[in-house]
């Protein structure tokens, strides 16, 4: 008998892998990782990058790795408990690829354009809300959604370029992918019983999860909701992955090129 079937009726594994998460459980599973990321930055990553003299935004990449990689390992562990081997079957949903490739490509491109255009258009809104959060100890450290206030003075060109090259595959590709697997592949399907409120709640909680850039909350809800609604509507996680990873990889690549060419 599989390990998951041996789990006690009220055991944590069965609660996590059940088809429905209670609202309090879902809120906790959405927000606790964000709080841990901030703690990892302040207690571990920030002192480390200061000690080696590198920009603070490398610290955010480190903090994200310290929390999101174990989170991914946790999903694999749940898969092992359920399937007897390291597998995502039964852990992640919305993975049956129901959207045809042509439609998928068209929707992902449209979502990337939407997200990038709205991201730039809503920058003044972020600036407005930033004034209410400028007291935070990490307000000018280059956390997600915070590049407007990033201080690059005092770092050599080679150091900045090294940082960007290291961060590109992490904050540009792998970490956003883990976020989508966790938030849309694992959590969203388990609040699908909420009906049309499920993608709304997923979007709002995901925006709140970014405790390191609360001033971007409103704009993040606006520019990410279409992708998360479509992933829920079509039960295809590739839509949200394509949007999220597509945008972060483009922005990270452009930023790396700009640093390499001394444009910033």
């Amino acid at each position: 008998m599989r390990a998951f079937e041996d789990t006690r009726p009220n055991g944590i594994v069965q609660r996590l892998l059940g088809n429905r998460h209670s609202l309090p459980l879902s809120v906790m599973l959405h927000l606790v990782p964000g709080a841990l990321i901030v703690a990892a930055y302040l207690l571990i990553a920030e002192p480390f990058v200061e000690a080696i003299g590198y920009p603070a935004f490398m610290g955010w990449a480190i903090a994200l790795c310290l929390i999101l990689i174990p989170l991914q390992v946790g999903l694999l562990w749940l898969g092992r408990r359920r399937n007897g081997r390291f597998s995502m079957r039964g852990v992640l949903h919305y993975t049956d690829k129901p959207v045809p490739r042509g439609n998928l490509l068209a929707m992902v491109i449209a979502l990337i354009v939407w997200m990038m255009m709205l991201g730039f258009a809503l920058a003044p809104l972020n600036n407005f809300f930033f004034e209410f959060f400028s007291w935070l100890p990490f307000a000018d450290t280059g956390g997600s959604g915070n590049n407007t206030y990033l201080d690059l003075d005092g770092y050599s060109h080679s150091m900045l370029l090294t940082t960007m090259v290291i961060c590109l595959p992490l904050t540009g590709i792998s970490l956003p992918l883990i976020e989508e697997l966790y938030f849309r592949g694992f959590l969203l399907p388990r609040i699908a019983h909420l009906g049309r409120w499920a993608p709304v709640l997923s979007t709002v909680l995901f925006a709140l999860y970014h405790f390191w850039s609360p001033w971007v909350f409103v704009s993040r809800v606006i520019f990410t909701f279409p992708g998360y609604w479509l992933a829920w509507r079509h039960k295809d996680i590739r839509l949200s992955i394509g949007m999220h990873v597509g945008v972060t990889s483009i922005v990270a690549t452009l930023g790396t090129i700009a640093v390499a060419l001394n444009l910033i």
Side-chain angles (χ1 to χ4, degrees):
M1 185 177 292
R2 292 179 306 181
F4 173 55
E5 295 174 341
D6 291 335
T7 305
R8 293 179 295 107
N10 295 320
I12 186 63
V13 173
Q14 185 168 356
R15 290 183 64 190
L16 291 173
L17 290 176
N19 291 328
R20 292 189 176 196
H21 284 168
S22 67
L23 186 58
L25 176 62
S26 188
V27 170
M28 181 189 72
L29 292 174
H30 276 84
L31 299 186
V32 167
L36 292 176
I37 288 168
V38 172
Y41 174 78
L42 293 175
L43 298 176
I44 301 173
E46 183 182 35
F48 174 73
V49 295
E50 284 185 354
I52 63 175
Y54 269 75
F57 60 85
M58 179 178 276
W60 286 111
I62 294 172
L64 286 161
C65 287
L66 289 174
I67 304 304
L68 292 181
I69 291 177
L71 201 63
Q72 179 64 30
V73 173
L75 294 179
L76 289 169
W77 176 80
L78 286 175
R80 188 174 187 278
R81 291 296 303 270
R82 185 187 191 281
N83 304 305
R85 59 189 176 86
F86 290 110
S87 166
M88 290 294 189
R89 186 171 63 86
V91 178
L92 301 183
H93 297 311
Y94 297 175
T95 58
D96 294 332
K97 302 179 180 180
V99 177
R101 287 185 180 180
N103 294 348
L104 175 71
L105 180 61
M107 285 192 282
V108 167
I109 291 174
L111 288 169
I112 289 174
V113 172
W114 163 270
M115 191 171 176
M116 294 191 71
M117 289 181 61
L118 265 291
F120 286 114
L122 295 174
L125 183 65
N126 298 338
N127 294 339
F128 171 77
F129 284 118
F130 179 79
E131 299 303 321
F132 297 95
F133 296 99
S134 58
W135 54 272
L136 289 172
F138 46 80
D140 60 349
T141 58
S144 177
N146 188 29
N147 292 334
T148 302
Y149 310 100
L150 178 60
D151 183 8
L152 299 178
D153 293 338
Y155 300 103
S156 67
H157 178 261
S158 61
M159 186 177 291
L160 289 175
L161 184 58
T162 299
T163 300
M164 295 299 294
V165 169
I166 292 173
C167 289
L168 193 157
L170 297 174
T171 58
I173 301 172
S174 345
L175 299 174
L177 175 60
I178 293 175
E179 287 180 331
E180 288 308 310
L181 295 177
Y182 178 70
F183 288 99
R184 252 61 62 183
F186 177 62
L187 295 182
L188 176 57
R190 290 174 168 85
I191 56 172
H193 59 279
L194 299 176
R196 294 180 181 273
W197 286 106
V200 176
L201 182 63
S202 177
T203 304
V204 170
L205 290 177
F206 183 64
L208 284 172
Y209 144 85
H210 289 78
F211 290 117
W212 53 96
S213 54
W215 48 89
V216 193
F217 170 77
V218 175
S219 60
R220 185 173 278 117
V221 168
I222 294 172
F223 61 64
T224 60
F225 177 71
Y228 301 153
W229 183 86
L230 285 171
W232 166 82
R233 175 69 178 80
H234 294 282
K235 293 181 172 54
D236 195 331
I237 194 178
R238 295 177 300 169
L239 289 161
S240 61
I241 290 176
M243 177 190 74
H244 192 170
V245 178
V247 169
T248 54
S249 61
I250 290 171
V251 171
T253 300
L254 293 177
T256 302
I257 293 173
V259 169
L261 298 178
N262 278 316
L263 298 178
I264 57 175

